Amino acid sequence: MTPKPGHGEASWRGSSEGGSSDPAANTTLAGGSEDPPPRVGTSRAERLDRLRAKGRIAVLVVGGGINGISTFRELALQGIDVVLVERGDFMSGASAAPSRMIHGGLRYLENGEFGLVKESLLERNRLLRNAPHYVSALPTLIPLADRFSGTLSAARRFLGGRPKPGPRGALIVRLGLALYDFYARRERQLPKSRFFGRRATRFNWPDFHPDINYAALYHDAKISRPEQLGLELIADAESACPQALALNHLGLARLDGTIAELTDSLTGERITLTAEVIVNASGAWIDQTNALISGRQTVLIGGTKGSHLVLDSPALLDAIGERMVYFANREGRVCILFAHFGHILAGSTDIRVDTPDGVRCEASEAAYILESIREVFPGIALSEVDILFRFAGVRPLPRADANVNAEISRDHSCEWSTPPGPVPVLNLVGGKWTTFRAFGAQAADTVLARLGTDRTRSSEALAIGGGRGFPNGEAERRDWLRRAALSTGASPERCAALFERYGTRMLEFTPGVDDAPLTGLPAYSRDEVRWLLSSSQVATLADLVLRRMTIAFSGDLSLDAVHELAALAASSLGWSQAQTQAEIDRLLAHLDHHHGLAATTLAARNLAGKTHVSHQESSDEPPVRRRQMS
């Protein structure tokens, strides 16, 4: 083991058809950048040509989830000739199925993982600064029934015992948050915690169960578009190092001596490379990948499935306001719910699985999450008909012999495969979304040591993608958007929507004079979709719908939208009519099986005129609660 070193369909264009009368508009909008803007994405064919021409490289990273991408970026920042391959789409596994929280891990204090919490809080603070376009503060509320529950269990756990999970009282939570505040002091971005007594709790949150007498309020953070952040990290890495190259839908088939054989899953083509080091960053699939590399089955991963729901519940949205509710259910399992694109994101489960392939949120898990919410909000009616979307992923946790899954560490480590083969293989074990940068830096430093190369650049204070040159405060934001409207010729409302989706990176998109909103998806325009298709390595319809856009989460996806997006993709990517229909069929089958979104439901949204669709897709802030906290 290596030590860790508008929405809205407002007018699409302003009065000018291009250019700006403000001479500063085109020169200062992206100020503060430490790097030049990412180079324009090349086509898949051109990328494959570049790969074929390489022959021998320094490092091959296998796995395009957030930890593999982070390692790729760290190595690229040092000028290393690194290639990343992902057999599916980037950010399509567990990295696309997190709770959307960027947090220190308050619960990890119960397991004595103080170092992990300290690191996570520091990385949370850095993400608030480096990726402000996607990562924002999340006030978090803990409802509590009494003062002393869990005190004895906490003491036993601290002394090495393994008590069963149970409710936490105000005393234990207060102690935990005091330590949390202390660890978060470095590069602090958020307020300290507060506590509320019985009267204030009942007044501010009357929808809580009558048995809830106290509440604790602290701050963590949330991420609105994790998939987009991963793609931005790739673009930044390739911009920093011209040799660096990342490709999706290209998997490792086998390692023959020192030669890695890669297979293009879209065409079946085989491409070979020779690498000095391989990084196995395939997450929950690490052991299966090692079997391809060495023919031996390792036992590094013991993953658990986490399932989540997106709920259409105005009553619940009004009850929680702008805060996340973080609570333990009757089993002691921690659950969450908070506003996300105008709806409620709720989760999660923690179930051991034998294989990460094909996991989905089962009906029993959905019922479990709904029942857990009812324990805190008994007066709010919830049922399966309120579920807009469901998703699941497998956490790549280290293999452990734990009585309770919550006791398995969320920490990360780098493990060299033993015995060593012709090519050294570094396995990235464990990890959580919040600490991806630290994990990637640890992995890169481990590889650099093997290559005999020193680190030349840190990513600690490096802005990511659309967070580069991000305006501070509301006044700066308004001024930035005013100048962006002048520069692009788009309306202020349109600029605000693009800014929410892409941050300052919206300046890379230039709408044409004849740009127009999509018929089935008026929050997006035809040119915006074409830009996504050409600049973000979209190869399938699912890549576009599920990972370049948030329309499945926000409830904006309809059958009309699927067909309209498929037609745009076909035109941009050169699909035949038969291939286009096959893409539609595959996406609809995937949505039905994995996300509980049947084609009949999507068709009903056409007929309903999208009346149920959130009007807040361009802002993930929920409505203001009528009664504010005293």
Side-chain angles (χ1 to χ4, degrees), residues 121-453:
L121 287 169
L122 179 58
E123 292 301 316
R124 179 202 70 182
N125 291 345
R126 287 170 173 166
L127 277 169
L128 283 163
R129 182 183 63 234
N130 295 334
H133 56 316
Y134 292 149
V135 180
S136 58
L138 179 61
T140 301
L141 191 66
I142 306 176
L144 303 163
D146 58 43
R147 294 182 178 179
F148 301 109
S149 291
T151 305
L152 182 59
S153 294
R156 290 177 58 194
R157 186 176 290 108
F158 186 78
L159 295 173
R162 288 187 172 183
K164 292 182 178 180
R168 290 85 168 168
L171 177 60
I172 287 299
V173 172
R174 186 183 288 269
L175 290 172
L177 285 177
L179 190 57
Y180 208 68
D181 288 338
F182 177 75
Y183 282 150
R185 71 192 187 285
R186 185 178 173 190
E187 301 183 30
R188 181 182 295 279
Q189 302 282 315
L190 301 172
K192 292 184 178 181
S193 59
R194 298 172 60 190
F195 273 79
F196 300 88
R198 184 178 288 105
R199 181 179 298 178
T201 299
R202 298 309 311 163
F203 177 80
N204 288 301
W205 302 287
D207 298 291
F208 277 167
H209 192 285
D211 290 344
I212 294 173
N213 296 306
Y214 308 97
L217 180 68
Y218 72 103
H219 284 72
D220 258 321
K222 59 183 176 180
I223 181 167
S224 58
R225 291 174 166 82
E227 301 89 348
Q228 282 288 348
L229 188 71
L231 291 162
E232 288 185 344
L233 289 166
I234 290 174
D236 288 354
E238 293 185 338
S239 176
C241 178
Q243 293 174 294
L245 181 64
L247 287 120
N248 54 357
H249 301 286
L250 186 69
L252 177 66
R254 66 190 184 104
L255 183 66
D256 184 5
T258 61
I259 299 175
E261 191 173 274
L262 310 174
T263 301
D264 186 333
S265 63
L266 302 179
T267 65
E269 180 189 1
R270 296 287 177 110
I271 300 173
T272 59
L273 279 177
T274 299
E276 294 181 51
V277 176
I278 292 176
V279 176
N280 183 355
S282 51
W285 288 268
I286 277 179
D287 293 321
Q288 290 91 322
T289 300
N290 281 332
L292 292 175
I293 292 173
S294 66
R296 294 185 296 272
Q297 186 73 42
T298 56
V299 286
L300 297 172
I301 298 296
T304 67
K305 179 175 65 163
S307 291
H308 299 77
L309 305 176
V310 178
L311 302 170
D312 184 15
S313 174
L316 191 55
L317 194 64
D318 183 59
I320 69 173
E322 62 185 12
R323 302 167 191 87
M324 179 173 80
V325 178
Y326 176 90
F327 64 98
N329 63 12
R330 290 192 182 98
E331 297 178 0
R333 168 68 190 158
V334 170
C335 303
I336 61 164
L337 57 150
F338 63 94
H340 188 63
F341 296 127
H343 300 294
I344 294 289
L345 193 153
S348 71
T349 57
D350 197 8
I351 301 170
R352 298 253 186 145
V353 292
D354 295 326
T355 175
D357 292 317
V359 297
R360 63 177 182 173
C361 176
E362 302 291 348
S364 59
E365 294 176 90
Y368 173 85
I369 294 171
L370 293 176
E371 183 56 38
S372 295
I373 297 172
R374 294 187 192 104
E375 292 178 17
V376 179
F377 296 99
I380 296 178
L382 290 171
S383 70
E384 275 214 9
V385 299
D386 299 312
I387 301 174
L388 281 178
F389 190 71
R390 61 188 81 192
F391 63 97
V394 177
R395 306 174 182 95
L397 306 181
R399 177 125 0 217
D401 181 21
N403 294 330
V404 179
N405 291 338
E407 295 177 355
I408 303 174
S409 175
R410 268 54 174 176
D411 209 345
H412 51 79
S413 64
C414 297
E415 313 279 351
W416 289 108
S417 288
T418 56
V423 180
V425 177
L426 184 68
N427 300 286
L428 306 193
V429 180
K432 58 195 290 284
W433 229 102
T434 304
T435 57
F436 74 80
R437 192 214 62 82
F439 195 7
Q442 178 193 359
D445 287 343
T446 306
V447 171
L448 291 172
R450 178 60 67 101
L451 295 174
T453 302

Side-chain angles (χ1 to χ4, degrees), residues 73 89 167 225 302 331 370 375 444 460 469 477 506 512 536 538 561 570:
R73 176 199 186 213
D89 188 23
R225 291 174 166 82
E331 297 178 0
L370 293 176
E375 292 178 17
E460 290 180 357
R477 179 181 180 274
M506 64 163 282
S536 59
V538 173

Side-chain angles (χ1 to χ4, degrees), residues 476-514:
E476 281 193 24
R477 179 181 180 274
R478 286 196 301 269
D479 183 61
W480 195 96
L481 288 173
R482 178 188 65 81
R483 289 183 290 122
L486 289 171
S487 175
T488 62
S491 70
E493 295 85 359
R494 177 64 173 153
C495 283
L498 293 170
F499 182 76
E500 193 279 331
R501 283 202 276 267
Y502 310 111
T504 60
R505 193 166 56 91
M506 64 163 282
L507 295 176
E508 297 173 25
F509 163 58
T510 304
V513 175
D514 298 326

